[in-house]
Amino acid sequence: MKRFITSLLTLIIVLPLFAANYSRVSVHDPSIVIGYKQSNGKITGEYTAGAQKIYYIFGSHKAFAKSYDMKNWVMFNNNIKNDQNILFSKEIAWSKLGSTDYNVDGNLWAPDVIWNKDMQKWCMYMSVNGDNWYSSIALLTADSPEGNWKHVGPVIYSIPWKASPANIAALTDFYTVTGIASGSALPSRYTLNRNGNQIYGMNAIDPCVFYDEEGKLWLTYGSWFGGLWMIELDKTTGFRDLNRKYSIVGGSATNAESDPYQGIKIYGGNHVSGEASYIEYINDRYYLFVTYGGLTAAGGYNMRVFSSTSVTGPYKDMQGHDARFTSSSVINNVNCCGTVNGYVGTRLMSYYKWDWMKLAFCAQGHNSVVVDDDGKIFNVYHTRFNGGNEGHQVRVHQMFQAKNGGLCTAPFEYCGETLDEKTYTMEDLAGYYGVLDHGWGTDYANLKYVSQSELQLCADGTLAGVYTGSWSLDGNKITIRRNGVAYEGVVITQKAEERNESVICFTTVNGDKSFWGFKKYAKGQNFSDDTPTSFTLGATDNSSAFFSAFSDYYIIDGDKVLQAKFKNYTAGVNNWENWLLVCTTNKERGAAGYSEYFVQRADSWWWATGVEGNNAGCESNYNWDTFKQDINGATVVLNAKREGEVVVTDYDITTVTGKKLWYKFTRKTSYDNTVRFFFSNEKSHQDFEYVRIVSPSGITSPFESASAQSESKYSNKTFNLSGQEVNSSYRGVVIRNGKKYLTQKVH
């Protein structure tokens, strides 16, 4: 099955079991489906005990990926990549009417894939986008979700307001489905437009295909302007069920509810923003997910939720607002502030950034949702960042159903946590929290985001800090009341994103927005100074492509030492398929002013911006006859020391057989005062025990863990913030074993 239509979720608690190791992919508009690989190698969508579970995501522009754990993803291809013009020739003929220079490459958008139980086939519904609404959705089938795919035929077409009756008759099924005489003029409702943009007629893209609780098969689709619609499919063919008729209800742009060709209207219309419909059944309700706004980083993209007890709706948000708009800014006679930052539809998250993160998350959307066979609810979406470009990545968060019926999203991405019946106490939760109040939105056009503030959950059930009010627990569920409004949700424990720290979190929702928090180490301090920095870089199956996996940035001001310790694992095919150490200007990768002082390979080779690759400055005692075997599984200790115009990297390497190797690289150039280091790799992965920055005096920077500092000769000594050793009579802020202490209150 594509998605399980009952949820086992009854008690909500998450325990951290795995470190935060990820292999990322860029798949725009990801649609999730679960496959089960049987003992005979066949992959079906039907759960079987003992079968290997594989998660697949399918996205726009022929981007497909799979994972075995929802954390580490690898891309794959199939025949669609090269055979698109042959596979979609019928749909291309229609789309070419919309523009003289039409090219289907770049116009295969947002496919959805389902295991059809009656056909015993995987069915892909692919958007073939065309300019001026000359779009359609095509059906393909395959025996495996990885392909190859066979084109079966078009399922539904957009009917543009300016299309000629002759072309509609020759190339679409409009007249056959509606019963209108072939070649007749279009009914006037289809020709309604605003400056050429349709306000009634839909755009046939962004399909979602699913089974309802009665076993019926449905297709939802559409994007902006004319709204989002649904039709019933024939389970035995995968095409439109021609026996299911839809009467004209409404018929104008302001109150359309159903249409003989377009089916049942579930969202939008009247030229309002909204696309990417996705419906999932969770605990007795059908939840409709819609994405508002433009998909660029500054476009305001954001995910909204409505629900209904009936598969055909009406779908309403937690405040009772109908998802079908009666104008572009009014719903149920209430001014709704438009859509992108409006309050119609419960918003899952805004643009946001936790304090320790380098970049904010922007334009999150076009999500899909699945209830796994163990009851976990996963929200899969793509996100952009405020780093100055349109790069995007897939993210996966668990979701939970609150007592108020709303869906709330875990504050941090999924890290392998599992459901448990443990119940927290008030004492467990009491403390200081970093919180994000997502609200209705931000000044997205200027990349503004929700930032972290501090809230105290007091042991007596009251709130202090940024909000006042009260809070309470009911089993694993939490209620936070602020300003007279109740936010309901769950308590979970996760790994803080971009950290390796387990933290207690809450995620809550009220009528229209979300509120997240994580328990801090202390007032004003996100994490303990002892927070470990361990992480894994690259896919653990050594499949990461060159320069596709990246560590955090490690920023050095002036003369300091970068230290790291890790185990190196490689596919062992080529000498260069190991770690890379990169030293750059103090800029994000790809940003203006970014330049590489050096990119150093593990096998005595390097290059830089404007410098050809060579081995000058590299020394080692490597045995090239055994190098690939020696380096696999080896423990590597690095000291990269910067002194003015010289950086020297020293590697002490111990092989799994106990052999001692060394590798040294010296690079002299005109470094800026502030430089960045980061690690990457190719066809390998590295398990880092720590990465830290140490000053020449040995004083640990805030990036260095106390456990790492304790290994040095400066253990148990005390230093002031200038790096001078002091005795016990010193009063002020000091550093001892990598941690800051206040020996006397400073005024």
Side-chain angles (χ1 to χ4, degrees), residues 122 205 268 513 622 698:
W122 290 97
I205 62 172
K513 52 191 176 181
Y622 290 155

Side-chain angles (χ1 to χ4, degrees), residues 333-565:
N333 298 316
V334 176
N335 188 333
C336 66
C337 312
T339 53
V340 180
N341 271 348
Y343 54 73
V344 175
T346 304
R347 185 164 182 161
L348 289 179
M349 62 185 73
S350 186
Y351 286 31
Y352 73 90
K353 178 179 177 293
W354 296 105
D355 278 355
W356 63 89
M357 290 181 167
K358 296 180 294 294
L359 297 174
F361 290 85
C362 300
Q364 311 97 317
H366 207 118
N367 66 306
S368 57
V369 176
V370 67
V371 180
D372 210 339
D373 53 78
D374 59 1
K376 295 179 183 178
I377 308 168
F378 291 115
N379 181 19
V380 183
Y381 62 94
H382 71 252
T383 184
R384 287 181 164 81
F385 310 91
N386 66 337
N389 57 51
E390 295 299 327
H392 56 86
Q393 291 180 340
V394 172
R395 285 294 189 275
V396 180
H397 287 237
Q398 281 208 71
M399 298 184 71
F400 310 97
Q401 189 179 53
K403 286 195 299 184
N404 57 18
L407 294 180
C408 46
T409 305
F412 303 114
E413 66 180 318
Y414 178 67
C415 192
E417 59 263 24
T418 58
L419 300 176
D420 190 84
E421 296 183 3
K422 176 184 174 182
T423 300
Y424 285 115
T425 66
M426 297 283 282
E427 289 74 21
D428 291 331
L429 266 64
Y432 295 93
Y433 284 75
V435 296
L436 293 177
D437 187 356
H438 288 278
W440 296 312
T442 61
D443 179 9
Y444 54 84
N446 291 306
L447 294 176
K448 302 298 183 181
Y449 52 84
V450 173
S451 56
Q452 181 181 320
S453 54
E454 188 169 84
L455 175 70
Q456 184 180 7
L457 302 189
C458 302
D460 63 358
T462 61
L463 302 178
V466 67
Y467 300 111
T468 58
S470 63
W471 66 284
S472 61
L473 280 175
D474 179 12
N476 298 3
K477 301 184 186 294
I478 188 170
T479 300
I480 298 176
R481 297 175 179 85
R482 18 172 293 221
N483 301 328
V485 177
Y487 290 77
E488 295 185 332
V490 302
V491 177
I492 63 177
T493 299
Q494 290 190 280
K495 295 286 189 181
E497 215 156 329
E498 298 183 12
R499 306 284 302 192
N500 196 34
E501 178 84 346
S502 296
V503 290
I504 295 173
C505 309
F506 65 76
T507 174
T508 61
V509 62
N510 75 346
D512 53 12
K513 52 191 176 181
S514 301
F515 182 49
W516 296 350
F518 76 95
K519 189 174 183 181
K520 303 173 75 171
Y521 177 72
K523 180 178 175 62
Q525 186 176 357
N526 285 328
F527 305 105
S528 164
D529 290 334
D530 288 323
T531 300
T533 58
S534 61
F535 62 95
T536 294
L537 180 66
T540 55
D541 64 355
N542 297 324
S543 63
S544 296
F546 168 75
F547 234 55
S548 63
F550 303 100
S551 72
D552 285 345
Y553 292 115
Y554 302 98
I555 300 173
I556 289 182
D557 295 318
D559 295 348
K560 293 183 180 178
V561 182
L562 175 76
Q563 299 180 335
K565 183 178 181 180

Side-chain angles (χ1 to χ4, degrees), residues 56 59 67 122 221 223 259 275 281 321 347 370 375 553 567 593 653:
Y56 292 94
S67 172
W122 290 97
Y221 64 96
S223 176
D259 178 89
E275 62 185 15
Y281 184 79
H321 299 135
R347 185 164 182 161
V370 67
Y553 292 115
K567 285 192 174 182
I653 303 169

Side-chain angles (χ1 to χ4, degrees), residues 563 692 698 700 704 707-716:
Q563 299 180 335
R692 64 201 188 203
T700 307
E704 182 184 1
S707 60
Q709 171 68 10
S710 66
E711 298 173 5
S712 78
K713 63 182 179 180
Y714 297 97
S715 299
N716 300 317

